[in-house]
Amino acid sequence: MKRVISVVAGLAMVFAFASCNKKAANTTQASSGGEFDALIEAAKAEGSLTVYGSCEEEYLSAAVKKFEALYGIQTKYQRLSTSEVFTKISEENGNPSADVWFGGTTDPYNEAVAKGLLESYDAKNAKNLISTDYKDATNCWYGIYKGILGFMVDQEELKNRGLEAPKSWDDLLKPEYKGLIMLSNPNTAGTAKLVINTMIQMKGHDAAMEYFKALDKNIAQYTKSGSGPSKMVGPHECVIGVGFLHDGIYQILKGYDNIGLIVPSDGTSFEVGATAIFKGAKHPNAAKLWIEYALSPDCVDQAKDAGSYQFLVLSNATQPKEAAQFGLDMNNTIKYDFEDAKKNSAKYVEDFFKALESAADDRFKTK
């Protein structure tokens, strides 16, 4: 039997969501009549849609298949990390090869907003968001889920080595963790960009760069995907993985009960997983219909059945009980400055690489 992993106490976020668990009688507002009829017909006339997805592929595939089944619109998808999508649409510069973006943390979305690469759309189903914090102020992206940043640890391996689990971000710098930590690569993963922004907001820019130089000495590998570290903890390929804790929940529920989940005691931040329309989308009406669909329970309620256990940010969605049972402390998050991240993420990533290039032992790896 899988054992429930003990984490930092605090179920306030779970209780806050409790009142949101009633599913509306007609969950997909976009599939019924009225104001959506014209949009549905225009989308069907376009006949197809292409999605770049930055969530896990199982969820992406399920969401695409459900959309295609609901509306009869041929829908293709490609799974890319958030930074890969940002790079691709930057190169395509207003002539994108896909129509919409689905999933993945919002720092790269905000970079895309700043470069004018996303289309503003006043989504009707955005009225179901539990807070305006979960949307772009100019309606260029909308949130669909929320996940907390933390550590996943191999409890068995730590015990074998006689080590205690890290409790804070600063604990990760301890010399006994040399070669035991995995973090994602900010060139390819929005998760790593969030880590960079978080440390800058918690410590200040220069202190954060010094922190990353010190942390690099303990890094075994920088993975391409933000979920990469979590996937390596269970099979004992990584002792300490930095990433989103819902990815750890997925691994635990797959049977890896050696994994422990840790919310950093000195504070952390959270991602808002988003969806957006690309500027210049070839199928603009199908893209708008996708946004309405993504902001409905017909889409987001599939997450838990597709191995994604994030907290949902729609009032008419059903929170995954799997997320609630681990009692992740969503109150221990900093007041994340999305505007600073929007304006400065690209520069901060450049500064990160410059700092690590000058690290004395030159240990930075990106494979």
Side-chain angles (χ1 to χ4, degrees):
M1 178 180 293
K2 305 179 184 74
R3 65 175 181 266
V4 176
I5 307 301
S6 176
V7 295
V8 177
L11 294 173
M13 193 66 181
V14 177
F15 295 142
F17 277 121
S19 63
C20 301
N21 285 347
K22 291 185 178 179
K23 198 169 183 180
N26 182 9
T27 57
T28 307
Q29 293 164 312
S31 67
S32 59
E35 59 187 344
F36 291 105
D37 282 350
L39 177 59
I40 293 170
E41 290 308 310
K44 286 182 176 180
E46 291 173 349
S48 64
L49 182 77
T50 301
V51 181
Y52 286 156
S54 299
C55 56
E56 289 301 295
E57 186 155 2
E58 188 177 354
Y59 181 23
L60 172 61
S61 175
V64 165
K65 288 178 181 177
K66 184 67 174 286
F67 180 80
E68 196 169 50
L70 282 172
Y71 303 110
I73 297 170
Q74 183 181 12
T75 308
K76 299 181 294 183
Y77 74 86
Q78 183 178 3
R79 201 282 169 188
L80 298 166
S81 66
T82 47
S83 290
E84 288 177 313
V85 174
F86 175 69
T87 298
K88 191 171 180 63
I89 62 173
S90 296
E91 292 170 349
E92 292 172 339
N93 194 24
N95 185 30
S97 51
D99 301 295
V100 295
W101 197 352
F102 181 70
T105 187
T106 47
D107 283 340
Y109 280 76
N110 280 326
E111 290 182 83
V113 172
K115 290 190 69 173
L117 298 173
L118 301 182
E119 187 71 51
S120 177
Y121 171 59
D122 186 11
K124 305 299 185 296
N125 280 344
K127 65 187 178 184
N128 296 318
L129 290 170
I130 62 176
S131 168
T132 56
D133 291 340
Y134 303 121
K135 64 182 286 293
D136 173 60
T138 60
N139 296 333
C140 284
W141 60 257
Y142 293 96
I144 51 178
Y145 59 76
K146 177 178 178 177
I148 191 168
L149 193 64
F151 317 143
M152 289 144 283
V153 300
D154 183 345
Q155 298 179 123
E156 293 177 6
E157 187 60 26
L158 286 172
K159 183 177 180 180
N160 291 339
R161 292 171 178 263
L163 298 175
E164 292 187 358
K167 297 180 178 64
S168 68
W169 290 101
D170 285 346
D171 280 353
L172 296 181
L173 305 185
K174 291 180 177 180
E176 56 261 40
Y177 296 141
K178 184 177 178 64
L180 302 184
I181 301 172
M182 288 189 186
L183 174 66
S184 52
N185 179 355
N187 267 338
T188 56
T191 304
K193 289 184 177 181
L194 180 64
V195 173
I196 293 171
N197 285 322
T198 299
M199 289 300 99
I200 288 173
Q201 292 184 26
M202 289 177 65
K203 295 177 176 294
H205 177 278
D206 293 349
M209 293 305 119
E210 291 301 314
Y211 174 84
F212 287 120
K213 286 170 65 174
L215 178 63
D216 181 60
K217 297 175 182 178
N218 289 347
I219 297 292
Q221 183 179 339
Y222 292 90
T223 64
K224 179 179 178 181
S225 169
S227 62
S230 71
K231 294 175 180 177
M232 297 185 183
V233 175
H236 309 295
E237 296 173 9
C238 171
V239 181
I240 302 168
V242 179
F244 292 116
L245 296 181
H246 55 256
D247 291 328
I249 292 175
Y250 178 54
Q251 297 300 317
I252 293 169
L253 295 177
K254 284 180 68 176
Y256 290 115
D257 61 358
N258 59 309
I259 299 175
L261 306 180
I262 298 171
V263 179
S265 59
D266 46 352
T268 190
S269 61
F270 61 89
E271 71 162 337
V272 177
T275 190
I277 300 172
F278 296 128
K279 178 80 76 173
K282 305 297 189 301
H283 308 99
N285 292 301
K288 292 174 183 177
L289 184 59
W290 173 274
I291 299 298
E292 302 292 357
Y293 161 74
L295 291 170
S296 79
D298 266 345
C299 178
V300 298
D301 279 2
Q302 296 180 87
K304 59 184 177 297
D305 297 322
S308 293
Y309 303 107
Q310 302 95 328
F311 289 106
L312 303 177
V313 297
L314 300 177
S315 62
N316 57 345
T318 303
Q319 297 303 324
K321 66 180 186 303
E322 294 87 352
Q325 82 180 68
F326 289 91
L328 302 182
D329 185 3
M330 300 295 287
N331 284 335
N332 202 34
T333 55
I334 64 172
K335 186 172 178 56
Y336 190 74
D337 189 338
F338 286 95
E339 285 303 310
D340 182 72
K342 182 188 296 186
K343 294 176 183 176
N344 297 307
S345 281
K347 179 183 182 301
Y348 293 159
V349 170
E350 289 180 5
D351 294 345
F352 171 89
F353 282 106
K354 287 178 183 176
L356 267 61
E357 283 174 359
S358 65
D361 58 3
D362 193 26
R363 298 194 63 258
F364 183 66
K365 303 173 185 177
T366 56
K367 292 182 180 179

